[in-house]
Amino acid sequence: MKLALAATLLCVVLIVAPLLVALPPVRQTPAMLAAARAAGALAPFLSAVAAILAAWRLWRARTWRAAAVLCLAALCAVLSRIHLLEWVFAGARGAETASMAAFHDIRDSDMVLGVVIEGRSRAYPVRYLAYHHMLNDRLGSTALLPTY
């Protein structure tokens, strides 16, 4: 029982770690991002092992504790296969564009990400990208994914 519980709790940590690293107050380092990526890659495998261990333990012991560990392990198995950061930081879609003269909410001091492709240009205010972190867009025939 202890092995199944430990594997399940480790799965919870592996699933939550990438979310904690993505929080805005966290100062991200290359090592921290690599560890979060490794945790996300390891979580599906370990969650499957934890679910198998918990199911085996429930089959042998038939206790409510074993059932609870199996439920948590099964939840981890599902969550580890979902990219949770895409839910937290969903990309904006269907953005409306306007000329700079018609855009009244932009200030001279606002930072923008600028793109020029084949003589056409687009500016993305960082203030707006800061919420969604990315925007699926198209400039002419070129697909763009400005991100901040």
Side-chain angles (χ1 to χ4, degrees):
M1 181 68 176
K2 291 180 182 179
L3 181 61
L5 180 61
T8 303
L9 292 178
L10 182 58
C11 287
V12 171
V13 170
L14 292 176
I15 292 168
V16 172
L19 294 174
L20 295 177
V21 169
L23 291 175
V26 175
R27 185 165 185 238
Q28 299 166 340
T29 65
M32 184 184 291
L33 293 173
R37 184 163 176 82
L42 184 61
F45 172 74
L46 186 61
S47 65
V49 170
I52 291 168
L53 286 172
W56 178 74
R57 183 64 185 155
L58 178 62
W59 180 71
R60 292 199 48 159
R62 300 191 200 286
T63 66
W64 68 270
R65 287 182 184 161
V69 171
L70 178 58
C71 288
L72 184 58
L75 179 64
C76 286
V78 170
L79 289 178
S80 68
R81 285 156 179 81
I82 298 172
H83 197 301
L84 298 175
L85 289 177
E86 288 180 0
W87 285 8
V88 175
F89 300 114
R93 297 183 185 276
E96 296 179 20
T97 60
S99 68
M100 287 303 288
F103 204 83
H104 301 290
D105 196 29
I106 196 89
R107 297 183 293 263
D108 290 339
S109 60
D110 283 346
M111 292 188 306
V112 297
L113 297 176
V115 178
V116 178
I117 298 175
E118 299 171 357
R120 299 178 73 187
S121 63
R122 181 93 27 104
Y124 302 94
V126 169
R127 189 164 32 112
Y128 294 105
L129 288 176
Y131 176 75
H132 288 285
H133 296 272
M134 61 185 152
L135 170 74
N136 295 312
D137 197 9
R138 185 169 288 282
L139 185 57
S141 62
T142 305
L144 297 174
L145 182 68
T147 183
Y148 176 77

